[in-house]
Amino acid sequence: MSEQTFSEWLRQQCEPEWTAVVTHPFATAIIEGTAAGDAMRRYLEQDFQFVDSFTALLGAAVAAADTFEARVPYGTFLGQVATTEEKTYFHRALAELGGRTEVPLEPVTAAFRELMDEVRRSQDYLLIAAVLCVAEWCYLGWASRAAEPLPESFVHREWIELHEGAEFRAWVAFLRGELDRLGAGLGEERRREVLGVFRRAVELERAFFDMAAG
Amino acid sequence: MSEQTFSEWLRQQCEPEWTAVVTHPFATAIIEGTAAGDAMRRYLEQDFQFVDSFTALLGAAVAAADTFEARVPYGTFLGQVATTEEKTYFHRALAELGGRTEVPLEPVTAAFRELMDEVRRSQDYLLIAAVLCVAEWCYLGWASRAAEPLPESFVHREWIELHEGAEFRAWVAFLRGELDRLGAGLGEERRREVLGVFRRAVELERAFFDMAAG
């Protein structure tokens, strides 16, 4: 792998899908504040359906991490995300858009939840970290392309702010750092196994934005 | 079980060990501020060896809980305990007492960690909640016997305060509530399985205080 970190290698192996996600027309519409209310409602209704599986996956990371030091950032993030910000945002945004918190799952939503649940049940820390890393790093990718001034509508603006800023960057850096730390000494077969999960997550992120774009 | 809740039934099945824990001479020495420095050091050195397994077990509860609403209190507690209070207390108290954070495990410490790890790996939410409930409810049991004024030494006083007060009572009430909620409809065999884990935890709590008392 020469000087390349494991997380960077994983990302590059997923091109061109990775770039398709972070430059996706629907993501661009969010950061430009032009995503229509109906599309945004449908997107957030489906995204809200991940809150439970994603929270459970964070718990699984706390449970399966190989050191106490690694458990701490997951625990801290769990305390923040699950209990306050994201849930509050979803409820306010869905109220604004006339959306619902319980909706039938789109096929891509069901498939992504199944990946999260499968990885959670595996108790395999590296696979858990890989899925979490894709979800957060991809979102940092598109959100960090937003230019000032951010959209006026809180529905767009806060969704960008939740996936940008110093704290979120540190969180993504931690996730990448965990993949780099654990990936450094892996054999070829195990690296391919991690890549398989990482790639499925990237493909699902792209399909999720495709679904949102209609 | 007549009108009795499941958590109350579990506790009663563990008498007289339960009462032996909450009225244990070593616990009494803590709340009276008479536990000698050497004994307190040995006790806290061993107790600190649970921080990692206990944190992991909280993560497993987040991962394995059957509802999002149940994941939230574990996530909140994780955010608090793992990252700040208890760890800070341990480091300050061990510094005060000339103790170490890394020590050889006493047999009872090793056995209790093994129970926590076994239950964590089971991904069985009811068993996970049972072990967490014993650990916290027992500690509320002895700490709530403390009378004002609390001991002057912060080593004794803060250890009591960490296991008392409105917030800790609410946390124990939540854990008991989870056992009650999930235990209500259980068949006899499953109830016995939960009791088996609950009882092992109570016996280990007693053996842990016995070890501390020397």
Side-chain angles (χ1 to χ4, degrees), chain B residues 60-213:
Chain B
V62 173
D66 59 331
T67 70
F68 179 73
E69 286 60 38
R71 300 192 211 284
V72 171
Y74 295 113
T76 306
F77 196 75
L78 256 173
Q80 293 169 0
V81 171
T83 64
T84 55
E85 294 170 72
E86 289 218 3
K87 206 178 176 210
T88 304
Y89 167 78
F90 275 117
H91 286 280
R92 282 186 293 119
L94 289 175
E96 172 76 15
L97 299 167
R100 291 165 299 162
T101 53
E102 292 186 35
V103 292
L105 300 188
E106 293 286 342
V108 63
T109 311
F112 212 154
R113 285 221 304 210
E114 181 46 39
L115 175 61
M116 289 181 185
D117 293 347
E118 173 191 322
V119 165
R120 168 175 57 78
R121 285 189 301 264
S122 77
Q123 304 190 57
D124 184 324
Y125 177 50
L126 194 44
L127 302 187
I128 293 167
V131 171
L132 289 171
C133 187
V134 169
E136 303 294 56
W137 191 7
C138 272
Y139 266 53
L140 176 62
W142 66 256
S144 64
R145 291 174 49 242
E148 297 286 346
L150 296 183
E152 270 188 40
S153 152
F154 85 86
V155 172
H156 298 88
R157 190 184 64 250
E158 290 189 23
W159 191 240
I160 299 165
E161 290 170 343
L162 277 168
H163 301 101
E164 242 287 13
E167 202 171 339
F168 193 75
R169 282 177 189 276
W171 166 235
V172 172
F174 162 73
L175 292 169
R176 289 189 55 185
E178 286 298 278
L179 295 184
D180 295 341
R181 175 174 71 85
L182 294 162
L186 295 185
E188 181 64 17
E189 193 178 344
R190 180 71 169 147
R191 271 172 52 196
R192 291 282 157 195
E193 185 186 13
V194 179
L195 175 59
V197 163
F198 194 94
R199 177 175 280 144
R200 276 167 67 199
V202 174
E203 288 167 351
L204 286 164
E205 291 288 1
R206 182 183 187 167
F208 194 77
F209 273 145
D210 286 347
M211 175 278 294

Side-chain angles (χ1 to χ4, degrees), chain A residues 52 59 71 76 83 121 123, chain B residues 52 59 71 76 83 121 123:
Chain A
D52 186 47
R71 299 191 212 285
T76 306
T83 65
R121 285 189 300 264
Q123 304 189 57
Chain B
D52 186 48
R71 300 192 211 284
T76 306
T83 64
R121 285 189 301 264
Q123 304 190 57

Side-chain angles (χ1 to χ4, degrees), chain A residues 8-25:
Chain A
E8 189 56 34
W9 178 80
L10 289 166
R11 193 188 66 75
Q12 287 192 8
Q13 294 295 309
C14 294
E15 291 294 1
E17 286 81 8
W18 184 277
T19 295
V21 173
V22 301
T23 62
H24 196 282

Side-chain angles (χ1 to χ4, degrees), chain A residues 30-96:
Chain A
I30 295 174
I31 62 182
E32 292 180 349
T34 58
D38 255 19
M40 200 65 190
R41 173 184 55 70
R42 217 154 30 87
Y43 165 74
L44 289 176
E45 280 178 340
Q46 291 298 314
D47 205 89
F48 184 70
Q49 309 310 313
F50 294 121
V51 170
D52 186 47
S53 291
F54 191 78
T55 304
L57 193 58
L58 287 167
V62 173
D66 59 332
T67 70
F68 179 74
E69 286 62 37
R71 299 191 212 285
V72 171
Y74 295 112
T76 306
F77 196 76
L78 256 173
Q80 292 170 0
V81 171
T83 65
T84 55
E85 294 169 71
E86 289 218 3
K87 205 177 176 210
T88 305
Y89 167 78
F90 275 117
H91 286 281
R92 282 186 292 120
L94 289 175
E96 172 77 16

